[in-house]
């Protein structure tokens, strides 16, 4: 079974721009979660999508948004980029049975904001 | 708020030896899961092992095993016969047991395996 895939793997943007990151879950997984990883803050939960609905949200500003499509693929969008948004963005997929599901991670998208 | 604490920022071990990474957590839940993930230099987050809190038996996965002390809220990872490929950042994580998936991670422990 193919793992979680994320595109693009690397991205360089300038302040004020917006960016869209994509995540394709493992086949059969319907829950997709997004995390931001930075050296200063560590791993922080952004949001989770299940059945095209945002089911849970972390403590991030409204510039961070996401969506999920009917095939469970998910995208996250960051608008009006700030220098502090430079990070590794990880998505994880899991089966839909609840919060005890094991999450499997993709390779991440490294975003650099200049 | 649910917290996960890893008190060892860095550790090193000689190849073939055994090392233990520590993790403590705080949760008000009665039934929960705990995870160890490994993040090598490639940055790919890989599941190492999972423990179900209601199970008395400590989880084992090949060279990896846990010492789960529920009363003490301690969840340490033991790596036996360490290999160079074990060099990575190791994260302890606990899901927030509300509706939906949300993992809370510790700060991580960098493990270096030396030849």
């Amino acid at each position: 079974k193919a793992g979680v895939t994320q595109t693009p793997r690397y991205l360089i943007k300038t302040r004020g721009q917006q960016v869209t990151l994509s995540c394709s879950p493992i086949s059969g997984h319907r829950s997709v979660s997004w995390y931001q990883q930075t050296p200063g803050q560590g791993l922080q939960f952004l949001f989770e999508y299940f059945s095209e609905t945002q089911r849970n949200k972390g403590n991030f500003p409204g510039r961070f948004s996401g969506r999920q499509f009917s095939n469970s693929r998910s995208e996250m969008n960051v608008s009006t980029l700030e220098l502090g948004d430079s990070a590794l963005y990880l998505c994880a997929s899991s089966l839909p049975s609840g919060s005890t599901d094991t999450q499997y991670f993709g390779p991440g998208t490294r975003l650099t904001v200049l | 708020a649910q917290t996960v604490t890893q008190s060892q920022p860095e550790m090193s071990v000689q190849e073939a030896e055994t090392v233990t990474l520590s993790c403590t957590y705080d949760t008000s839940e009665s039934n929960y899961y705990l995870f160890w993930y490994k993040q090598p230099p490639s940055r790919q987050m890989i599941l190492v092992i999972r423990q179900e809190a209601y199970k008395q038996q400590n989880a084992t996965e090949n060279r990896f095993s846990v010492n789960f002390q529920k009363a003490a809220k301690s969840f340490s990872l033991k790596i036996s016969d360490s290999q160079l490929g074990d060099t990575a950042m190791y994260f302890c994580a606990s899901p927030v047991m509300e509706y939906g998936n949300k993992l809370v991670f510790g700060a991580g422990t960098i493990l270096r395996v030396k030849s």
Side-chain angles (χ1 to χ4, degrees):
Chain A
K1 224 180 218 185
V4 179
T5 59
Q6 291 186 247
T7 56
R9 293 293 310 279
Y10 302 92
L11 210 46
I12 299 175
K13 292 286 187 179
T14 55
R15 278 181 298 174
Q17 288 186 310
Q18 75 166 21
V19 67
T20 299
L21 313 182
S22 180
C23 173
S24 292
I26 292 170
S27 177
H29 285 193
R30 293 168 57 197
S31 168
V32 174
S33 299
W34 289 88
Y35 295 84
Q36 181 195 64
Q37 185 177 22
T38 60
Q41 300 297 317
L43 279 150
Q44 294 185 288
F45 174 81
L46 280 156
F47 30 64
E48 183 215 359
Y49 285 87
F50 171 66
S51 290
E52 302 177 62
T53 301
Q54 187 180 86
R55 189 160 73 161
N56 208 346
K57 189 178 190 305
N59 190 24
F60 278 82
R63 300 185 297 107
F64 291 82
S65 63
R67 59 177 175 168
Q68 186 180 35
F69 302 95
S70 58
N71 61 358
S72 296
R73 189 177 70 85
S74 177
E75 289 181 346
M76 69 163 279
N77 184 275
V78 188
S79 62
T80 319
L81 283 165
E82 300 177 0
L83 295 178
D85 297 333
S86 293
L88 180 68
Y89 289 88
L90 294 164
C91 85
S93 76
S94 61
L95 289 168
S97 60
S99 62
T100 58
D101 301 321
T102 299
Q103 293 185 42
Y104 296 91
F105 286 81
T109 293
R110 167 73 67 186
L111 172 64
T112 301
V113 182
L114 302 176
Chain B
Q2 192 156 330
T3 59
V4 176
T5 303
Q6 293 178 250
S7 58
Q8 305 152 313
E10 293 188 34
M11 294 191 71
S12 62
V13 63
Q14 286 297 127
E15 208 174 358
E17 292 188 347
T18 296
V19 65
T20 299
L21 310 183
S22 301
C23 172
T24 58
Y25 61 94
D26 184 19
T27 180
S28 57
E29 302 291 338
S30 57
N31 186 25
Y32 49 91
Y33 288 73
L34 296 163
F35 301 92
W36 278 99
Y37 284 91
K38 162 186 174 181
Q39 189 177 42
S42 67
R43 309 296 267 169
Q44 171 81 53
M45 192 77 80
I46 301 164
L47 175 70
V48 175
I49 199 164
R50 153 180 155 147
Q51 173 75 44
E52 297 167 53
Y54 67 89
K55 286 190 176 179
Q56 301 278 353
Q57 190 173 5
N58 288 326
T60 298
E61 196 71 43
N62 299 316
R63 299 182 294 107
F64 299 88
S65 61
V66 300
N67 182 5
F68 175 50
Q69 303 290 328
K70 190 172 183 179
K73 294 185 178 177
S74 169
F75 180 58
S76 60
L77 175 70
K78 186 172 86 170
I79 305 174
S80 305
D81 185 26
S82 296
Q83 300 175 1
L84 296 177
D86 295 334
T87 293
M89 176 81 94
Y90 286 81
F91 292 97
C92 176
S94 174
V96 178
M97 301 295 284
E98 61 189 59
Y99 187 62
N101 276 321
K102 175 182 176 179
L103 283 175
V104 174
F105 286 87
T109 297
I110 298 172
L111 176 67
R112 294 187 176 87
V113 180
K114 300 178 179 179
S115 59

